[in-house]
């Protein structure tokens, strides 16, 4: 059943567990997410970036989610716009049937971010849609970073409190040291959990971890064994994901893991038989790999059996 992001995340916030927010760019990724949720008995957030929407077409993206959420009617599903860059983009998503949107004005100064977010909140709330915003900049924290440098890129908890109170945003992504993609940390992985706890205490709303892919060893090995190159890649360790949940993270954004798991399988098929050109022979194992990874992630985040 299609529900608002708030409906899923308020429960996670009260019971201190995390819900995976999984990106999709096609039917295979999307159906893998639904099938995993069905097996794990977990709520899900399925999210599309502006790039993904351009690739699929907004009506196709919404249409696929609607059909699958009717098929799996017992699963609470929120359809979320990932990293909306403008008011217009958020409005187009709301108009098309998204039940949650992110306005990402985190690269603007605080006041501008607050103003843009408040505008989106007003529009989305009047239509019954939940809103996410981001504070701080998504960047890995390096070992020798100074306190002032840290303060420049990571979320400021006092600002977070003011931002949430004034914008009335439903959930917030505080930058605590993660980054997008496969290369998250140069040295040892590091996240600022103290800062996270402070933000949770001061805001008391669901929090979001962007750049949360873990790049599990077996997925990386699977990609490397096909001749793929992921030199220097580093994800968020599993213990860090667990620690984040304890610190108040409720929405766990995951895209890179799914991409790597899927493409490793495609590469395997291509390597094994260079005469193969049936798309299904490539995509079916890719979809299964995503499904397996998502079920494992749901168990780790604590969203399994929360329906
Ligand atoms: O946060 C970014 C997501 O992984 C989506 O990436 O813009 O390449 O679709 P994308
Ligand atoms: P990853 O690149 O770690 O999967 O992060 C995805 C994300 O934050 C989407 O918003
Ligand atoms: Zn993100």
């Amino acid at each position: 059943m299609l529900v608002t992001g708030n409906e899923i995340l308020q429960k996670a916030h009260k019971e201190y567990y995390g819900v995976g927010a999984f990106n999709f760019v096609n039917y295979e990724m999307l159906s893998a997410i639904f099938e995993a949720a069905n097996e794990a008995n977990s709520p899900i957030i399925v999210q599309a970036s502006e790039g993904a929407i351009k690739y699929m077409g907004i009506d196709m993206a919404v249409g696929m989610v609607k059909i699958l959420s009717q098929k799996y009617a017992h699963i609470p599903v929120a359809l979320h716009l990932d990293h909306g860059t403008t008011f217009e983009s958020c409005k187009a998503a709301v108009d098309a049937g998204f039940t949650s949107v992110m306005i990402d004005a985190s690269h603007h100064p605080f006041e501008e971010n607050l103003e843009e977010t408040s505008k989106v909140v007003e529009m989305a709330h009047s239509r019954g849609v939940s809103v996410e915003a981001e504070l701080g900049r998504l960047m890995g924290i390096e070992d020798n970073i100074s306190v002032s440098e840290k303060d420049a890129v990571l979320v400021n908890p006092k600002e977070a409190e003011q931002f949430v109170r004034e914008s009335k945003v439903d959930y917030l992504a505080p930058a605590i040291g993660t980054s997008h993609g496969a290369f998250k940390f140069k040295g040892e992985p590091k996240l600022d959990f103290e800062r996270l706890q402070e933000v949770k205490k001061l805001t008391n709303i669901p929090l979001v971890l962007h750049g949360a892919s873990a790049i599990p060893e077996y997925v990386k090995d699977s990609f490397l064994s096909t001749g793929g190159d992921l030199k220097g890649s580093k994800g968020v360790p599993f213990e860090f994901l667990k620690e984040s949940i304890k610190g108040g993270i409720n929405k766990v954004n995951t895209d890179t893991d799914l991409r790597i798991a899927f493409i490793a399988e495609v590469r395997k098929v291509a390597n094994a038989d260079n005469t193969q050109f049936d798309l299904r022979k490539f995509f079916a194992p890719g979809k299964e790999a995503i499904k397996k990874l998502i079920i494992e992630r749901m168990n780790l985040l604590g969203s399994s059996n929360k329906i």
Side-chain angles (χ1 to χ4, degrees):
M1 193 194 4
L2 203 52
V3 300
T4 65
N6 236 352
E7 198 165 321
I8 292 176
L9 291 173
Q10 277 299 331
K11 183 170 185 301
H13 168 61
K14 288 189 186 101
E15 298 178 23
Y16 264 80
Y17 62 87
V19 178
F22 301 105
N23 288 72
F24 69 100
V25 301
N26 62 12
Y27 168 73
E28 283 75 13
M29 292 181 90
L30 186 64
S31 57
I33 303 167
F34 272 87
E35 286 177 24
N38 188 40
E39 279 187 31
N41 213 26
S42 166
I44 37 171
I45 298 170
V46 294
Q47 56 187 16
S49 66
E50 289 176 349
I53 288 173
K54 192 166 170 211
Y55 179 74
M56 290 181 277
I58 197 159
D59 292 338
M60 184 59 76
V62 175
M64 287 194 296
V65 172
K66 282 196 172 155
I67 290 170
L68 284 164
S69 59
Q70 279 159 12
K71 176 173 174 184
Y72 297 104
H74 64 294
I75 301 173
V77 183
L79 172 56
H80 176 79
L81 171 67
D82 190 24
H83 294 283
T85 51
T86 59
F87 175 87
E88 289 72 27
S89 169
C90 293
K91 180 162 184 311
V94 171
D95 288 344
F98 281 61
T99 60
S100 174
V101 292
M102 174 187 191
I103 173 70
D104 183 0
S106 58
H107 46 287
H108 292 304
F110 179 83
E111 287 300 335
E112 242 174 88
N113 187 354
L114 177 60
E115 195 182 317
E116 192 70 4
T117 302
S118 304
K119 237 172 89 183
V120 171
V121 168
E122 198 186 333
M123 176 275 297
H125 281 183
S126 75
R127 312 273 300 273
V129 169
S130 317
V131 180
E132 171 184 336
E134 180 167 320
L135 269 184
R137 296 207 320 269
L138 233 61
M139 275 168 125
I141 334 171
E142 291 178 33
D143 278 344
N144 52 3
I145 191 167
S146 69
V147 174
S148 59
E149 282 171 317
K150 227 169 153 179
D151 280 339
V153 292
L154 301 184
V155 63
N156 173 328
K158 290 216 170 65
E159 278 187 359
E161 191 273 331
Q162 183 195 346
F163 188 89
V164 167
R165 183 168 29 83
E166 294 186 8
S167 68
K168 301 190 171 53
V169 75
D170 299 287
Y171 20 102
L172 182 74
I176 56 162
T178 56
S179 61
H180 290 122
F183 306 90
K184 299 187 187 299
F185 306 100
K186 290 217 179 76
E188 279 304 298
K190 226 182 204 131
L191 294 184
D192 198 332
F193 293 114
E194 267 175 44
R195 208 173 275 258
L196 171 63
Q197 283 164 13
E198 191 63 14
V199 173
K200 188 73 171 186
K201 198 173 83 195
L202 294 175
T203 61
N204 193 29
I205 62 167
L207 298 179
V208 183
L209 189 66
H210 280 253
S213 275
I215 320 190
E217 276 307 310
Y218 82 89
V219 175
K220 190 166 170 172
D221 288 348
S222 179
F223 192 85
L224 297 179
S225 72
T226 64
D229 183 4
L230 276 177
K231 257 191 237 89
S233 61
K234 226 170 258 175
V236 180
F238 289 148
E239 317 84 75
F240 280 28
L241 288 178
K242 283 196 192 151
E243 194 66 30
S244 305
I245 305 295
K246 278 195 206 141
I249 291 292
N250 306 107
K251 175 174 180 277
V252 183
N253 283 17
T254 312
D255 187 0
T256 298
D257 276 349
L258 313 187
R259 295 180 180 194
I260 297 174
F262 189 94
I263 295 303
E265 297 306 313
V266 171
R267 294 181 62 87
K268 256 183 227 166
V269 177
N271 286 350
D273 181 0
N274 63 8
T275 67
Q276 185 56 256
F277 51 75
D278 181 343
L279 275 71
R280 294 165 296 188
K281 295 282 193 300
F282 293 85
F283 290 175
K287 176 179 155 182
E288 283 310 306
I290 288 185
K291 187 171 149 187
K292 175 174 182 287
L293 188 143
I294 292 180
I295 293 173
E296 288 165 0
R297 197 59 46 88
M298 288 166 166
N299 292 336
L300 183 97
L301 303 179
S303 70
S304 298
N305 297 317
K306 290 290 185 186
I307 293 182

